[in-house]
Amino acid sequence: MIWCVDDDDTIREIEVYALTQTGFEAKGFADGVSMLKALKTEIPELIVLDIMLPGKDGVEVLKEIKSNPDTRKIPVIMATAKGTEMDKIQGLDTGADDYLVKPFGVMEMVSRIKAVLRRCQPDRKEEVFTVDEIVLNAKEHLVTVGGEKVALTYKEFEILKLFMKNPGIVFSRDKLLSEVWGLDYLGESRTVDMHIKTLRQKLGKEGALIETVIGVGYKMESGK
């Protein structure tokens, strides 16, 4: 869940809409006080916090978030129309994880959010995923099928890793484009289909584990 705090109704609604359209759950708040109250019962994954807020400004709200042991680990991206160096320094010194200067594009916002979430996630010691005869070692960028090494392109590897990390989850073509190619990719969804086709071929009989969900996209499930 991503929280967007902005007193401008239009901006806040656009931010929430953009996030929900790219696969996030999102909620909007018109001021910092109501958001701080909500933190007593719910902890979001990340907060996009405007500096210029009525009542308590964003920096004051950020200080409260970072001074509370229950909320200080929540990543916060500050947003402001000012864009002055002092505002940026003050926000980052208070504990902000990133900074957006208005006006910013919603795709830039989503990309920044993804980058901060990746950076703030705890390091994973286990980076080996297994589905039936397929073993993927993310750290070594290695895939084997039945013990035999399989050479994949970077995009094929990333698609397979996404499937193996999320067994049984259906990914639409647009979602795969977003996750693997990036939000700024302007290609067609046919690109996904071609990569799925070659990935299946390279996996041999295990390629059948990547199922087509008609009218939706693709998923990977164990055949056992």
Side-chain angles (χ1 to χ4, degrees), residues 14-223:
I14 289 172
E15 290 175 348
V16 170
Y17 177 79
L19 287 166
T20 55
Q21 289 300 301
T22 49
F24 289 101
E25 290 183 86
K27 183 187 295 186
F29 295 87
D31 58 79
V33 174
S34 61
M35 188 273 293
L36 289 170
K37 184 178 179 180
L39 278 177
K40 295 178 181 179
T41 57
E42 186 179 359
I43 300 294
E45 292 178 81
L46 181 145
I47 299 170
V48 179
L49 179 63
D50 190 38
I51 283 186
M52 301 299 291
L53 293 172
K56 291 184 178 181
D57 67 26
V59 174
E60 290 180 275
V61 173
L62 179 63
K63 287 179 180 177
E64 287 200 33
I65 293 171
K66 295 303 179 180
S67 64
N68 185 334
D70 295 328
T71 60
R72 65 187 179 193
K73 291 186 178 180
I74 300 171
V76 178
I77 297 178
M78 301 298 287
T80 181
K82 287 185 176 179
T84 67
E85 194 66 22
M86 283 307 298
D87 286 332
K88 187 171 184 178
I89 292 171
Q90 186 179 15
L92 294 173
D93 284 350
T94 306
D97 295 273
D98 203 351
Y99 213 85
L100 282 166
V101 178
K102 293 180 178 178
F104 52 82
V106 290
M107 291 300 99
E108 178 190 359
M109 178 193 71
V110 174
S111 295
R112 292 282 190 93
I113 287 172
K114 287 187 173 184
V116 170
L117 287 174
R118 284 195 299 268
R119 193 164 70 237
C120 293
Q121 284 174 348
D123 293 335
R124 294 186 56 176
K125 293 181 180 178
E126 182 58 55
E127 288 293 345
V128 178
F129 306 94
T130 303
V131 176
D132 290 12
E133 296 295 315
I134 306 172
V135 178
L136 183 147
N137 187 315
K139 187 175 182 180
E140 297 180 8
H141 209 270
L142 175 68
V143 173
T144 60
V145 176
E148 296 293 321
K149 185 177 177 181
V150 177
L152 300 180
T153 66
Y154 177 78
K155 290 294 191 292
E156 290 166 352
F157 185 89
E158 290 300 309
I159 291 171
L160 182 61
K161 182 170 71 172
L162 189 63
F163 283 145
M164 294 182 72
K165 287 174 68 175
N166 302 278
I169 302 298
V170 179
F171 290 90
S172 68
R173 291 170 176 81
D174 286 343
K175 183 66 174 175
L176 287 168
L177 282 171
S178 171
E179 292 290 335
V180 177
W181 277 262
L183 289 166
D184 295 329
Y185 182 72
L186 300 177
E188 300 179 357
S189 59
R190 279 179 58 99
T191 302
V192 173
D193 298 331
M194 293 302 298
H195 279 76
I196 294 290
K197 180 180 179 181
T198 58
L199 177 58
R200 282 171 169 162
Q201 291 171 345
K202 291 180 179 181
L203 295 175
K205 63 181 179 62
E206 297 296 292
L209 299 177
I210 301 175
E211 302 177 22
T212 301
V213 181
I214 297 174
V216 184
Y218 298 97
K219 68 175 181 176
M220 185 177 211
E221 281 213 80
S222 172

